[in-house]
């Protein structure tokens, strides 16, 4: 055996010369690296060199001269006379509607959505009872075509009482769904992007990301 310039050992083949003996042939020339292997090594080298580069979505975005002019001159006027008043009107209208029926903004969330359903289950007893009574009272007033008395509408309906429980529900559901999809005790059932419970769309069981 001899060593090639790659450092690996190359076997020396022997072939019969004549009936009287054998003559070793010349050592095989080292085989050049295949195209795909060389391409892979080059791609990996470039990836390692660029891996520490700041991603494009974290880079500082520079505006053009026209965009700077619009931002400094046009947008303040647009916001002052068009966008700002319109958004303020929409906000005041939503607040007035909620106050008229004695509701909170978070009472309008759809309880059939998995995250909201879990968040409602996590509510403390007093908050859950208050939410239920507000909704029943609003349903009755809507049926009778009435509203709350004005003296009882002095409250802020935009307090996000359900927000911390929604965040906790997201964490819980994400943990449970990860355990279902990547279960270590039954790889045949819980394998890949489907759980094995009948769904065919990959990752369709995930509702929190």
């Amino acid at each position: 055996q001899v060593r090639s310039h790659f450092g690996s050992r190359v076997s020396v083949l022997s072939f019969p010369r004549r009936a009287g003996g054998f003559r070793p042939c010349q050592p095989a020339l080292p085989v050049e690296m295949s195209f795909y292997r060389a391409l892979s090594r080059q791609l990996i080298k470039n990836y390692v060199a660029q891996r520490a580069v700041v991603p494009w979505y974290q880079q500082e975005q520079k505006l053009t001269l026209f965009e700077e002019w619009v931002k400094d001159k046009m947008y303040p006027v647009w916001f002052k006379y068009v966008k700002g008043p319109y958004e303020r009107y929409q906000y005041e209208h939503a607040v007035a509607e909620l106050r008229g029926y004695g509701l909170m903004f978070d009472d309008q969330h759809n309880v059939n959505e998995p995250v909201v359903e879990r968040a409602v289950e996590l509510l403390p007893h007093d908050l859950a009872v208050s939410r239920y009574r507000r909704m029943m009272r609003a349903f009755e007033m809507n049926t009778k075509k009435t509203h709350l008395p004005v003296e009882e509408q002095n409250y802020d309906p935009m307090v996000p009482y359900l927000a911390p429980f929604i965040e906790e529900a997201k964490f819980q559901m994400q943990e449970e769904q990860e355990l279902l999809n990547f279960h270590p005790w039954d790889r045949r059932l819980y394998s890949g992007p489907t759980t094995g419970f009948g769904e065919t769309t990959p990752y369709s069981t995930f509702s929190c990301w």
Side-chain angles (χ1 to χ4, degrees):
Q1 291 183 340
V2 296
R3 289 184 176 273
S4 66
H5 68 275
F6 285 108
S8 59
R9 295 181 179 181
V10 180
S11 299
V12 178
L13 303 178
S14 299
F15 295 94
R17 181 183 179 185
R18 290 186 181 88
F22 295 91
R23 183 190 69 177
C25 67
Q26 296 294 331
L29 294 176
V31 181
E32 295 184 359
M33 188 183 304
S34 67
F35 169 76
Y36 296 104
R37 186 176 180 184
L39 178 62
S40 301
R41 294 185 67 175
Q42 188 65 28
L43 291 175
I44 293 175
K45 185 185 300 182
N46 293 340
Y47 170 74
V48 172
Q50 299 177 2
R51 184 169 53 186
V53 178
V54 180
W56 63 269
Y57 52 84
Q58 294 181 356
Q59 297 177 3
E60 183 180 359
Q61 302 295 324
K62 295 183 179 180
L63 301 178
T64 63
L65 293 178
F66 177 74
E67 291 173 341
E68 287 283 353
W69 178 78
V70 171
K71 177 183 176 181
D72 296 335
K73 303 297 182 181
M74 295 297 297
Y75 186 78
V77 178
W78 163 261
F79 185 85
K80 181 178 180 181
Y81 294 105
V82 180
K83 184 179 180 181
Y86 178 75
E87 291 182 352
R88 187 66 182 179
Y89 165 78
Q90 293 292 338
Y91 176 82
E92 296 293 347
H93 181 72
V95 169
E97 286 288 330
L98 292 172
R99 285 177 175 171
Y101 289 105
L103 291 172
M104 302 290 289
F105 181 80
D106 286 350
D107 295 339
Q108 302 180 114
H109 291 306
N110 185 10
V111 294
N112 294 322
E113 184 180 357
V115 179
V116 178
E117 182 181 8
R118 177 66 63 88
V120 172
E121 292 176 358
L122 295 175
L123 279 176
H125 181 70
D126 56 341
L127 293 181
V129 171
S130 300
R131 171 189 172 90
Y132 175 78
R133 291 179 176 176
R134 283 195 304 269
M135 297 178 67
M136 292 299 101
R137 180 180 60 182
F139 177 77
E140 182 179 357
M141 286 189 297
N142 185 41
T143 305
K144 296 179 179 180
K145 307 299 181 183
T146 59
H147 293 86
L148 273 183
V150 178
E151 59 271 12
E152 296 184 15
Q153 297 185 19
N154 187 19
Y155 71 98
D156 184 11
M158 295 298 180
V159 176
Y161 72 92
L162 199 60
F165 302 99
I166 290 178
E167 296 301 318
E168 180 63 24
K170 289 179 182 179
F171 280 112
Q172 290 187 7
M173 296 182 65
Q174 182 178 4
E175 182 179 11
E176 294 172 3
Q177 292 165 352
E178 286 175 356
L179 290 175
L180 280 178
N181 274 337
F182 304 101
H183 206 288
W185 298 292
D186 193 351
R187 287 294 181 182
R188 183 174 179 83
L189 178 62
Y190 302 98
S191 60
T194 56
T195 62
F197 288 124
E199 80 278 2
T200 57
T201 305
Y203 303 106
S204 60
T205 58
F206 279 90
S207 56
C208 304
W209 299 97

